Amino acid sequence: MNRPESLAALAPPAWSQAGKPHPHESARLHVLGEATYTDDIPELHGTLHAALGLSQKAHAKLRAVDLDAVRQAHGVVAVYTARDIPGFNDCGPIIHDDPILADGLVQYVGQPIFIVVADTHDNARRAARLAQVDYEELPAILTPQQAKQAQSLVLPPMRLARGDFQRAYAQAPHRLKGALHVGGQEQFYLEGQISYAVPREDRTMHVWCSTQHPSEMQHVIAHALGLHSHHVTVECRRMGGGFGGKESQSALWAAAAAISAARLGRPVKLRADRDDDMLVTGKRHCFHYEYEIGYDDDGRIAAARVEMVSRAGFSADLSGPVATRAVCHFDNAYYLSDVDILALCGKTHTQSNTAFRGFGGPQGAIAIEYVIDEIARNLGKDALDVRRINFYGRGAAEGRNLTPYGQKVVDNVIHELVAQLETDSGYRERRAATRRFNASSPVLKKGMAVTPVKFGISFNLPHLNQAGALVHVYVDGSVLVNHGGTEMGQGINTKVAQVVAHELGLDLSRVRATATDTSKVANTSATAASTGADLNGKAAQDAARRIRERLAAFAAQLYQVAPEEVRFADNHVHAGGSAEPFPSLVRRAYNARVQLWSDGFYATPGLSWDASTMTGSPFYYFAYGAAVAEVVVDTLTGEWKLLRADVLYDAGKSLNPAIDIGQVEGGFIQGMGWLTSEELWWNAAGRLMTHAPSTYKIPAVSDCPSAFHVRLFENSNVADSIHRSKAVGEPPLLLPFSVFFAIRDAIAAVGDYRHNPPLQAPATPEAILDAVDAVRAAAT
């Protein structure tokens, strides 16, 4: 991959819609309350409503399930159990170990046992609570540590090793060992899980579903009904948030609604209450780490070993790919010569954890950041200096550009990016000011930290890196695009429409994107792994290019010029010194029987991955970023506040700077919540007690810093991505590592920076006070 000679050379022309800060295509509808979500679709006559009956035990055999009271409840039409499923009782995305309805055994509190269908949503929910279930309780494993001790795993262990860790560790001038626990996170999408299933003729089924993966929903529903995929259509116009929680786990809700609709021959809607949603669905995996590190007097890491154990939950779900990405991101932005990484996916009797923005990348990278933070404090150095000395090299000549899994880093801009952020944020001066403040403030302590991000973009499974699109040009010159990506607020439809508008030389208002629909673009990958705009933008570009080439050939005949001399710009077709309005040429082309629609396809080139050795080149490119955070901590109460955040993010040649900056801001605050306020807590019986906003605390607007400076780094992707842009979905979630380590820096001030605070994540007030107490004890 060759870097373009200059950014100016890639600048789009003035008329182009690509690279401009257009508002989200549904922004006006959002503000007016006119955007149609699944629950807003007008209900057909005869629509019924479903609810799920949930397990009240973490691990137990079902001796008896008495549903008589449920069937007799007011408004109930039908009740279904596992035996009523006509096809396969499974909704696992990879391994078939995840039943739609429990059959004889329950493995977490909240696991669905039966479906109740009633005339109203409330009647269904009330009836679901009337079941009498006789349980034979079994021992339950609830934590990653317990799973490791019991060797309870949902998948075989994964190991990636390079060099000779033992030798390098033994020869290192300094060594450290430690442990870290980082909690999980609820996706907390504003729109909960919902599916609306409508039976059609000849056993077919149309399902409107809030999902990031319509094709996966199609497969699960077809298998559950004993049908083929062509019997099932899944449609999603938009989601009210997804964050990974609707990649695989929307399948249970879609299947339950479809099973009920098929059995009754009537439309059935299944909409989860927030409490039920949180009790049933999986979250971000929590991780427990144990590490050994060798390093020199400058802080350069010579040897690194880490064992990371995740709480997978009761089934595999996506835990394997999550663990793989965690392993591949342990290095973050740092070159590690001798490394040994072991990942275990612990089977616990809790919700089956799943995808969440970052998909294991944040959990892998935070471990090495924690290590570097400790090294810096042990050596009495600024952590930024230790980070910088460990960065990947700038080129092959330095010999420090090969990842532990064997991929060359050829697009490294982390040195320049961090240097720019350091200067623009005034980091050194402000850090000195916090030290002066802390010297005279016995209770309130300020802290600062700078953390970098290097995040690989692509699915680790190469075959998932493909996409399709359809583009229609109508005779009035308007354009319709359909693609395999799903809109969850991130702006993929806006970006894809911009790409098509650019390709045809049109204003954005001339192009509209429609609902994702498995009957239009088949066999789509999930909108995940930050690949949505990359894959679907390229596919839509391919489709639009084919139409443009046909129109150019037609115009060349009309104006007696070569096809390559025909230009599409400013809503006109320019040829032979004439500028014909686009709609006029389209009408003439139609009359001449020129095809005005096309499909498009894209497959990411150059990817490889060997799961047996955990080596290859799984990523098309890397996205980079860095953030500076300044916090103040009350050491008496454990309360803290983010005073200022400075963020610089590498979006390449941004397709839409307004949307991309919004994604960086949102990802930063969401990641901050994961590491500070969002605590998932299960009681000793395995019941999730934080299952509503009353007990589970996501960041609010008051948690945002009053000084929040977000900028895009001026760069161009060395990879041939869509308009040389870079992904912006997941990488920003790692930027608030800076907040966590700024809090840790503030706590260290209690002991005059001589001791490493044993701060765990999330850094709740209780966790902060525990760390403060530990530092005070060590200092005495």
Side-chain angles (χ1 to χ4, degrees):
M1 292 184 282
N2 297 315
R3 186 177 299 280
E5 291 183 6
S6 71
L7 296 176
L10 289 174
W15 55 263
S16 174
Q17 302 303 300
K20 292 185 177 177
H22 289 285
H24 191 286
E25 48 94 21
S26 294
R28 182 179 60 86
L29 301 178
H30 291 153
V31 172
L32 296 176
E34 296 177 359
T36 300
Y37 295 88
T38 302
D39 201 32
D40 298 320
I41 297 170
E43 294 175 4
L44 297 173
H45 177 72
T47 293
L48 298 170
H49 298 265
L52 301 176
L54 309 179
S55 167
Q56 302 304 306
K57 301 296 181 183
H59 191 201
K61 294 180 181 178
L62 297 176
R63 288 199 188 103
V65 180
D66 184 353
L67 301 175
D68 288 343
V70 179
R71 293 188 178 94
Q72 295 167 12
H74 178 69
V76 170
V77 176
V79 179
Y80 300 116
T81 62
R83 74 186 71 172
D84 299 307
I85 298 174
F88 294 107
N89 180 21
D90 180 77
C91 58
I94 300 175
I95 296 176
H96 302 303
D97 61 348
D98 200 339
I100 299 166
L101 298 175
D103 188 7
L105 177 72
V106 292
Q107 299 190 73
Y108 72 96
V109 176
Q111 184 172 4
I113 299 173
F114 62 90
I115 308 165
V116 54
V117 185
D119 57 350
T120 70
H121 173 73
D122 286 346
N123 283 341
R125 289 194 64 223
R126 291 190 181 98
R129 283 149 176 76
L130 300 177
Q132 298 295 317
V133 182
D134 183 14
Y135 299 96
E136 179 185 332
E137 290 197 63
L138 301 171
I141 295 172
L142 301 178
T143 68
Q145 297 94 315
Q146 291 172 354
K148 175 189 172 183
Q149 185 175 10
Q151 286 298 293
S152 173
L153 305 175
V154 296
L155 294 166
M158 303 177 191
R159 175 169 245 123
L160 171 61
R162 177 172 72 175
D164 186 341
F165 165 79
Q166 290 290 5
R167 177 193 57 78
Y169 183 72
Q171 295 177 358
H174 305 280
R175 291 181 287 274
L176 68 85
K177 295 183 180 181
L180 170 66
H181 183 85
V182 176
Q185 186 180 21
E186 164 64 31
Q187 290 86 359
F188 217 94
Y189 25 67
L190 292 180
E191 175 203 35
Q193 299 280 0
I194 182 171
S195 289
Y196 184 30
V198 178
R200 302 293 198 194
E201 65 179 18
D202 196 23
R203 298 186 303 155
T204 59
M205 185 73 64
H206 193 117
V207 181
W208 286 271
C209 181
S210 183
T211 181
Q212 297 172 235
H213 201 346
S215 288
E216 176 71 15
M217 302 308 103
Q218 180 189 36
H219 300 158
V220 170
I221 293 167
H223 292 155
L225 298 181
L227 302 173
H228 295 293
S229 290
H230 68 201
H231 289 100
V232 179
T233 298
V234 176
E235 181 178 342
C236 178
R237 171 60 182 92
R238 61 172 61 85
M239 290 165 275
F243 307 116
K246 296 176 181 175
E247 181 175 345
S248 64
Q249 302 229 338
S250 47
L252 187 153
W253 311 87
I259 290 165
S260 303
R263 298 279 305 194
L264 291 167
R266 293 173 64 178
V268 174
K269 179 187 288 186
L270 174 54
R271 183 183 80 239
D273 174 81
R274 177 67 65 181
D275 294 84
D276 289 347
D277 192 318
M278 293 183 71
L279 284 170
V280 173
T281 61
K283 296 88 175 63
R284 183 189 297 281
H285 294 69
C286 74
F287 270 63
H288 180 79
Y289 313 83
E290 296 180 5
Y291 54 84
E292 296 176 278
I293 308 294
Y295 58 98
D296 65 18
D297 293 340
D298 295 322
R300 183 178 285 107
I301 295 174
R305 171 185 283 170
V306 65
E307 178 186 86
M308 49 181 81
V309 186
S310 67
R311 178 194 271 129
F314 82 98
S315 69
D317 195 83
L318 297 172
S319 293
V322 166
T324 299
R325 188 165 281 263
V327 168
C328 289
H329 283 77
F330 174 66
D331 61 329
N332 195 18
Y334 311 112
Y335 175 76
L336 303 175
S337 59
D338 296 81
V339 62
D340 185 1
I341 308 167
L342 176 65
L344 306 175
C345 301
K347 177 171 181 175
T348 57
H349 296 105
T350 54
Q351 293 81 356
S352 187
N353 284 329
T354 188
F356 196 129
R357 194 176 193 176
F359 202 77
Q363 293 99 310
I366 195 170
I368 196 68
E369 294 297 341
Y370 199 86
V371 162
I372 287 182
D373 193 60
E374 296 220 323
I375 291 172
R377 205 165 284 113
N378 289 346
L379 295 175
K381 294 179 176 290
D382 186 334
L384 174 57
D385 296 329
V386 177
R387 289 185 164 93
R388 184 172 271 131
I389 203 171
N390 282 287
F391 281 162
Y392 275 101
R394 298 171 190 263
E398 292 192 22
R400 292 171 55 86
N401 70 334
L402 196 67
T403 65
Y405 46 90
Q407 179 166 350
K408 286 186 178 180
V409 180
V410 298
D411 58 354
N412 190 10
V413 296
I414 198 65
H415 295 269
E416 303 95 305
L417 190 151
V418 169
Q420 180 180 327
L421 179 65
E422 179 186 359
T423 300
D424 292 348
S425 67
Y427 168 72
R428 298 289 182 179
E429 298 82 358
R430 290 169 53 207
R431 181 176 183 268
T434 64
R435 297 306 195 260
R436 292 193 296 270
F437 174 89
N438 290 338
S440 61
S441 177
V443 175
L444 298 180
K445 299 292 184 181
K446 288 185 177 182
M448 289 191 70
V450 183
T451 55
V453 173
K454 175 184 71 67
F455 196 92
I457 304 299
S458 289
F459 289 99
N460 269 75
L461 285 175
H463 77 268
L464 296 178
N465 295 282
Q466 59 176 298
L470 291 172
V471 173
H472 301 309
V473 176
Y474 294 100
V475 292
D476 65 353
S478 63
V479 181
L480 195 71
V481 57
N482 186 271
H483 58 89
T486 53
E487 176 65 59
M488 62 194 90
Q490 85 280 34
I492 186 173
N493 284 345
T494 309
K495 289 185 173 182
V496 170
Q498 287 178 263
V499 168
V500 172
H502 171 88
E503 206 67 20
L504 298 176
L506 301 174
D507 289 341
L508 187 58
S509 61
R510 300 284 188 98
V511 183
R512 190 168 73 86
T514 59
T516 311
D517 186 329
T518 57
S519 66
K520 294 179 180 177
V521 177
N523 309 319
T524 58
S525 295
T527 304
S530 302
T531 61
D534 282 6
L535 295 176
N536 294 284
K538 277 284 195 178
Q541 183 186 51
D542 180 46
R545 176 188 55 79
R546 294 170 187 267
I547 298 171
R548 190 194 72 226
E549 289 176 349
R550 293 187 200 119
L551 289 173
F554 175 68
Q557 291 178 349
L558 291 178
Y559 292 98
Q560 297 298 298
V561 298
E564 55 269 22
E565 295 179 44
V566 179
R567 291 192 311 110
F568 293 73
D570 288 318
N571 302 310
H572 286 74
V573 181
H574 302 263
S578 298
E580 182 173 357
F582 183 79
S584 172
L585 183 75
V586 166
R587 168 62 72 172
R588 292 213 275 173
Y590 169 75
N591 291 339
R593 295 182 294 181
V594 175
Q595 182 180 335
L596 295 174
W597 62 269
S598 181
D599 64 322
F601 182 76
Y602 177 72
T604 309
L607 303 179
S608 65
W609 182 247
D610 185 337
S612 62
T613 61
M614 299 199 77
T615 57
S617 294
F619 306 122
Y620 190 38
Y621 62 86
F622 296 98
Y624 298 88
V628 179
E630 180 180 353
V631 304
V632 62
V633 173
D634 186 329
T635 59
L636 293 182
T637 66
E639 295 174 285
W640 67 277
K641 187 171 182 59
L642 177 60
L643 300 174
R644 176 175 167 178
D646 296 81
V647 176
L648 189 58
Y649 182 75
D650 168 28
K653 292 292 290 182
S654 172
L655 276 176
N656 188 316
I659 284 177
D660 286 350
I661 287 175
Q663 285 293 294
V664 174
E665 291 171 342
F668 186 95
I669 297 301
Q670 187 173 53
M672 182 181 78
W674 165 49
L675 294 173
T676 58
S677 64
E678 299 183 43
E679 183 177 26
L680 294 165
W681 187 76
W682 287 261
N683 67 14
R687 177 179 292 276
L688 178 67
M689 303 304 291
T690 50
H691 54 77
S694 58
T695 51
Y696 185 80
K697 298 301 182 181
I698 64 172
V701 68
S702 59
D703 296 303
C704 298
S706 56
F708 196 8
H709 307 135
V710 176
R711 295 179 58 195
L712 299 181
F713 181 65
E714 188 172 340
N715 190 30
S716 179
N717 199 343
V718 299
D720 185 21
S721 59
I722 186 69
H723 288 274
R724 299 283 177 169
S725 63
K726 288 192 176 185
V728 74
E730 294 176 303
L733 192 130
L734 286 72
L735 294 168
F737 286 1
S738 57
V739 176
F740 179 81
F741 291 108
I743 293 173
R744 201 174 185 221
D745 182 53
I747 296 170
V750 173
D752 197 24
Y753 306 101
R754 293 192 304 270
H755 308 282
N756 279 308
L759 183 65
Q760 309 294 294
T764 61
E766 294 88 345
I768 289 172
L769 287 179
D770 286 344
V772 168
D773 289 344
V775 170
R776 283 181 175 145
T780 57

